[in-house]
Amino acid sequence: GGVSSKGSVSFDVKASPFGDYDREFISAVEQSWHLLLDNHQGTRRPGKVVVDFVLNSDGRITAMKIAETDVGEIQSMLCQSAIHNPAPYRRWPPQMRQMIAGNTREIRFTFYYN
């Protein structure tokens, strides 16, 4: 199916001046999610899944949890897999590490099933 039947992904971070890195990161998650949806054509119900996790400076994902869901367990697991499957992500550029002044970013993704 087309993208409209799959839904969309929303990415929430506070004060994110890392546009290029974030666009690349979001694109990898979206591509992974759409591939997973194509391979799991089972019954899907509309709704959303909110996933919280930590992105580490070396590209690893840790501390992932479902913060909110109003869809089934399988749909929620697909969202987590969409984030985990492309990992590890690219290491943070030096400027990004300097600006963050730490080795982690707390991130929230919201997946919308239409």
Side-chain angles (χ1 to χ4, degrees):
V3 172
S4 63
S5 67
K6 293 179 184 176
S8 60
V9 177
S10 170
F11 177 60
D12 301 325
V13 289
K14 295 177 183 166
S16 178
F18 319 114
D20 290 338
Y21 187 94
D22 288 349
R23 272 189 292 281
E24 180 182 309
F25 181 75
I26 294 165
S27 177
V29 172
E30 282 184 316
Q31 288 176 13
S32 176
W33 189 47
H34 289 166
L35 180 63
L36 286 165
L37 291 178
D38 286 344
N39 291 327
H40 294 85
Q41 291 292 327
T43 304
R44 287 195 294 260
R45 67 182 203 215
K48 75 177 182 178
V49 177
V50 179
V51 182
D52 291 336
F53 58 95
V54 173
L55 174 62
N56 295 272
S57 62
D58 63 1
R60 290 178 304 114
I61 300 294
T62 55
M64 182 179 290
K65 67 177 182 173
I66 300 291
E68 179 184 337
T69 183
D70 58 9
V71 298
E73 185 177 337
I74 291 174
Q75 286 176 257
S76 296
M77 288 174 36
L78 289 176
C79 297
Q80 288 181 302
S81 294
I83 296 166
H84 265 299
N85 288 354
Y89 296 91
R90 181 168 60 93
R91 289 184 173 274
W92 297 356
Q95 306 90 327
M96 189 169 156
R97 289 195 70 177
Q98 289 173 346
M99 291 181 76
I100 291 176
N103 292 317
T104 62
R105 291 171 74 191
E106 293 182 9
I107 297 179
R108 170 170 279 187
F109 261 50
T110 304
F111 294 82
Y112 295 96
Y113 287 95
N114 296 331

